[in-house]
């Protein structure tokens, strides 16, 4: 009997020590960590933005109308056009420049799918990245070097000529596209 009581005492003691250690561990993990100090990037700067947005009159139809001139903020550009009939289109050429000191890589274009799902769905947006040498469409990512780097894009807002459906509401469409860049990994 005495051995059994001794054994139970050891088990209860071990359980109490375990509970105490778990309580201390939880308290240590639940404590808020505060770090005081400063960090600096030195003279490094991130500045990627539109250098220009130009209407391409050679590729646009004469009946397409700018409701408002395009606006840009950082790497987001907003367009508002009115296309009166199937076959109408407005085309813009965009130049993005890196005037910062940090090299960047073009990652993706976003916002286009959402625009094309919005009413009127007959008017579609398409954005292509262009080769700086020959103007051909470039796929995938690409570098945008600091202070001298430029990327070229073409935005086509179109009411396809083969469209047989004519919306009864407005034939204008406002939309914003986003050109996403990230820091270049060496």
């Amino acid at each position: 009997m005495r051995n059994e009581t001794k054994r139970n005492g050891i088990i209860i003691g071990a359980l109490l020590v375990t509970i105490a250690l778990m309580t201390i561990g939880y308290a240590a993990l639940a404590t808020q960590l505060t770090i005081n100090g400063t960090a600096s990037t030195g003279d490094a700067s991130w500045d990627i933005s539109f250098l220009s947005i130009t209407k391409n009159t050679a590729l646009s139809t004469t009946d397409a109308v700018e409701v408002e001139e395009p606006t840009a903020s950082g790497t987001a550009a907003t367009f508002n056009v009115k296309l009166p009939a199937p076959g109408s289109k407005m085309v813009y050429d965009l130049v993005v420049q890196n005037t910062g000191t940090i090299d960047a890589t073009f990652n993706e274009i976003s916002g286009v799918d959402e625009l094309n799902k919005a009413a009127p769905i007959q008017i579609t947006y398409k954005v292509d990245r262009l080769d700086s040498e020959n103007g051909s469409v470039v796929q995938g990512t690409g570098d945008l070097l600091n202070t001298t780097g430029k990327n070229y894009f073409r935005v086509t807002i179109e009411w396809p000529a083969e469209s047989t459906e004519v919306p009864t509401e407005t034939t204008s469409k406002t939309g914003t596209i986003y050109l996403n860049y990230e820091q270049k990994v060496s």
Side-chain angles (χ1 to χ4, degrees):
M1 226 0 134
R2 197 171 173 102
N3 285 339
E4 192 174 309
T5 305
K6 188 177 181 181
R7 186 184 60 142
N8 285 344
I10 292 173
I11 291 173
I12 290 172
L15 287 173
L16 288 174
V17 169
T18 303
I19 290 172
L21 288 173
M22 289 175 60
T23 304
I24 292 169
Y26 175 76
L29 291 174
T31 302
Q32 183 177 15
L33 176 63
T34 303
I35 299 173
N36 294 319
T38 59
S40 172
T41 59
D43 292 336
S45 65
W46 180 266
D47 189 9
I48 298 171
S49 58
F50 286 98
L51 179 63
S52 66
I53 300 176
T54 308
K55 180 180 173 182
N56 186 322
T57 54
L59 297 176
S60 298
T61 58
T62 57
D63 61 348
V65 176
E66 287 180 320
V67 176
E68 295 176 19
E69 285 192 22
T71 58
S73 175
T75 56
T78 302
F79 305 89
N80 187 357
V81 300
K82 182 174 184 174
L83 303 178
S88 300
K89 72 177 173 178
M90 181 73 75
V91 179
Y92 293 98
D93 291 325
L94 291 68
V95 179
V96 176
Q97 184 174 20
N98 184 355
T99 56
T101 59
I102 300 172
D103 288 343
T105 298
F106 170 72
N107 192 27
E108 67 175 346
I109 301 165
S110 61
V112 177
D113 290 339
E114 295 82 0
L115 283 172
N116 290 336
K117 292 176 185 173
I121 59 171
Q122 295 81 1
I123 297 174
T124 60
Y125 278 69
K126 179 179 152 195
V127 184
D128 293 311
R129 188 164 68 92
L130 304 176
D131 182 271
S132 62
E133 301 289 322
N134 60 22
S136 64
V137 175
V138 178
Q139 301 296 322
T141 62
D143 291 340
L144 182 61
L145 302 178
N146 62 18
T147 65
T148 59
K150 293 180 184 174
N151 281 160
Y152 300 87
F153 296 88
R154 179 162 291 147
V155 176
T156 304
I157 307 164
E158 181 175 27
W159 187 346
E162 60 276 0
S163 179
T164 57
E165 196 174 315
V166 178
T168 56
E169 69 280 356
T170 183
T171 58
S172 64
K173 194 168 197 176
T174 300
T176 303
I177 60 153
Y178 305 90
L179 305 176
N180 300 315
Y181 288 85
E182 57 188 38
Q183 184 175 345
K184 181 181 176 185
V185 179
S186 298

